[in-house]
Amino acid sequence: MKKLLLLAGLLLAGTVAQAQSSAEVQALTRRLNELARDPDEPATEIRATLSNCHFTEVIRKYRTAGSGESGNFQVSHQKNGADWAVKSDDKVEFELRLGVEWSQVTSLTYVPAHNDKKDRHYYEIKIKRQPPGKSDSTTLEMPVYTTDEAVVRDLVQRLEKVRRSCGAKG
């Protein structure tokens, strides 16, 4: 009986921890997406998705009145834990989708950035990926429109926690 209660307690604790972790990932995703929205570029959207130990960043530029017509196209590639896709359609002028498995991410950092045209400061989160057995690496960059370094540091620490929970390198 004691073993059964102990087992039930462990299962319940695991379920609660998993639900809490899922809620934390959802909250982190919402916050990233709030801060990735450039208020000066309403036709452009940057969205992050964190799911199944995979990070995806989508950059979309929506068609605006007078932006002209272009043909529909779609190109995508998926290999060795990374993926990318580019497309266009009637509503979206341009969409770029970049994805990476957390297990291949070797570092998460942030750097100050500056838009010279608008004389505005913000930060960029940098996600460095190195596939197993390869010497080359790629870096995804995600803008975070805030001047508060503490906010960005917290986001990177929370992303690092997600990365480590997925059995990441380093």
Side-chain angles (χ1 to χ4, degrees):
M1 184 66 167
K2 286 182 183 179
K3 287 182 181 179
L4 184 58
L5 286 174
L6 179 62
L7 182 59
L10 288 173
L11 287 174
L12 180 60
T15 303
V16 168
Q18 187 177 19
Q20 188 176 27
S21 175
S22 177
E24 288 173 13
V25 168
Q26 288 175 359
L28 173 57
T29 302
R30 260 191 317 276
R31 187 66 173 140
L32 275 171
N33 291 331
E34 287 169 5
L35 292 172
R37 181 84 136 160
D38 184 349
D40 294 334
E41 295 288 338
T44 302
E45 174 184 46
I46 299 175
R47 309 234 2 123
T49 305
L50 307 169
S51 63
N52 299 325
C53 293
H54 194 81
F55 174 88
T56 304
E57 177 182 18
V58 178
I59 303 162
R60 258 185 216 110
K61 180 164 177 65
Y62 291 99
R63 292 197 184 280
T64 57
S67 65
E69 287 188 38
S70 67
N72 294 344
F73 66 89
Q74 185 167 340
V75 180
S76 63
H77 179 74
Q78 188 172 20
K79 186 177 179 181
N80 298 330
D83 54 274
W84 61 265
V86 178
K87 78 174 192 174
S88 176
D89 60 32
D90 295 339
K91 294 178 183 175
V92 178
E93 184 175 329
F94 178 80
E95 177 181 290
L96 174 62
R97 180 180 303 265
L98 304 165
V100 62
E101 293 293 326
W102 280 123
S103 62
Q104 295 183 3
V105 172
T106 57
S107 70
L108 283 163
T109 57
Y110 65 92
V111 296
H114 183 258
N115 183 328
D116 290 330
K117 290 184 210 172
K118 297 177 181 146
D119 194 30
R120 192 172 76 212
H121 295 273
Y122 60 98
Y123 285 89
E124 283 184 346
I125 294 176
K126 296 188 177 274
I127 301 169
K128 184 177 176 187
R129 172 191 174 263
Q130 185 168 358
K134 305 277 183 172
S135 60
D136 58 334
S137 64
T138 55
T139 302
L140 280 70
E141 298 172 351
M142 183 167 191
V144 183
Y145 293 99
T146 180
T147 56
D148 188 344
E149 184 177 2
V151 168
V152 181
R153 186 180 321 112
D154 177 63
L155 287 172
V156 170
Q157 288 171 348
R158 291 166 65 191
L159 283 168
E160 182 66 36
K161 186 177 176 185
V162 171
R163 180 179 86 95
R164 293 213 181 271
S165 73
C166 289
K169 293 179 177 180

